[in-house]
Amino acid sequence: MSLLFPERREIRLAPGGLDAFAHEVPKGRVDVTVVLSNHFARYTTVPPQDGATPEELVALARFQFAKIHGERARGWEVRLSRPGGGARLGCAIDAGLLERLKACFPKGGRARLISVQPWLMAAYNRLRGRIPREGAWLFLAEPGRACLARLAAKGWASVHNVPETDPDLLIERERNRAGGERLPALVLTEQFAP
C-alpha cells in the first residue's frame, strides 16, 4: 500500500554534523524539518512598534544583530516569531548554511525540505501548551552551549544564547538584570539530542 501523504521526519543538526548531513537525508518520500542546534543561531527580542510593517520589524531585528555582531550579520537570514501582542523573537542564521541545507534536497527529489527551525523555536512550539499566563523560563542545554529565554505574559522578555551551561547561574544573572520585574517561577528544560 502506498502512502497518500509523505512521511514527516525531524533531523537535528549539531555542530560538526553538516558534512555528514547530506548522507543522512532520507531517500524515500518524506517531508523533512531540520532543527538547528543553538550553535548555529543568534537571537534578539524585538519590542512592539506601533504601526510598523513586518518588513520594518525585520529591519529593526537586522539593525539589532548588526549592532551586536557587526559586519558578519550582513550574511544572515533573519526571521521573526509571529505577533502575539508583545515583544517578538528575532532569529538569524547564516545564509550560506541555509543554502547548503537546501542543496541536500534537489528539486524533483523524493525527500523535501519543508522547514529549517532554530532549536529555541522548535522547543517553544513543543512546550508552549505548558507555559502559564504569567510566563516561564525556557532552558535549552547542549554540549558547550545553553540558551535561556524568558517568556513574560505578553511575549518574549529576554533571550541569551551563551557558551555557559549552568542554569542556576544564568537564571540568577537574568534575575539581576530584570530589576523589579515580576519573574516566572516555572523553568522548562530540554537537552539537544541530534
Side-chain angles (χ1 to χ4, degrees):
M1 178 175 156
S2 66
L3 298 173
L4 294 175
F5 299 101
E7 175 188 347
R8 292 182 175 264
R9 188 170 306 163
E10 178 179 289
I11 299 174
R12 293 184 172 206
L13 184 61
L18 190 55
D19 292 333
F21 180 80
H23 303 292
E24 293 179 28
V25 173
K27 303 300 180 219
R29 188 170 178 223
V30 60
D31 287 345
V32 176
T33 295
V34 175
V35 176
L36 297 174
S37 154
N38 283 325
H39 284 272
F40 296 114
R42 300 293 179 263
Y43 301 106
T44 189
T45 55
V46 179
Q49 306 289 317
D50 290 337
T53 66
E55 293 81 15
E56 291 169 331
L57 291 172
V58 169
L60 177 58
R62 283 186 187 286
F63 172 75
Q64 288 177 209
F65 284 123
K67 195 166 67 171
I68 296 166
H69 300 283
E71 197 62 30
R72 66 185 172 161
R74 284 183 174 231
W76 293 351
E77 286 287 326
V78 175
R79 299 286 186 271
L80 292 177
S81 62
R82 291 186 180 126
R88 294 167 70 175
L89 181 69
C91 176
I93 64 170
D94 185 271
L97 170 64
L98 188 56
E99 290 306 313
R100 285 183 68 188
L101 291 172
K102 287 179 180 179
C104 294
F105 296 86
K107 288 217 183 269
R110 293 177 49 97
R112 296 184 314 161
L113 179 64
I114 59 167
S115 178
V116 176
Q117 301 175 9
W119 181 30
L120 176 55
M121 287 312 302
Y124 169 76
N125 288 335
R126 213 174 5 269
L127 297 170
R128 69 179 168 200
R130 295 177 46 199
I131 299 172
R133 270 192 112 100
E134 60 274 6
W137 301 96
L138 293 182
F139 180 76
L140 309 177
E142 59 187 297
R145 180 151 298 270
C147 182
L148 177 67
R150 180 168 54 99
L151 288 131
K154 291 192 175 192
W156 296 87
S158 65
V159 62
H160 301 282
N161 189 18
V162 296
E164 299 172 33
T165 56
D166 182 343
D168 296 328
L169 176 68
L170 291 172
I171 290 173
E172 185 57 33
R173 191 177 302 148
E174 182 60 19
R175 286 184 199 285
N176 292 334
R177 283 187 188 122
E181 260 184 85
R182 181 181 166 98
L183 299 173
L186 179 64
V187 179
L188 299 171
T189 64
E190 268 197 12
Q191 291 284 128
F192 190 80

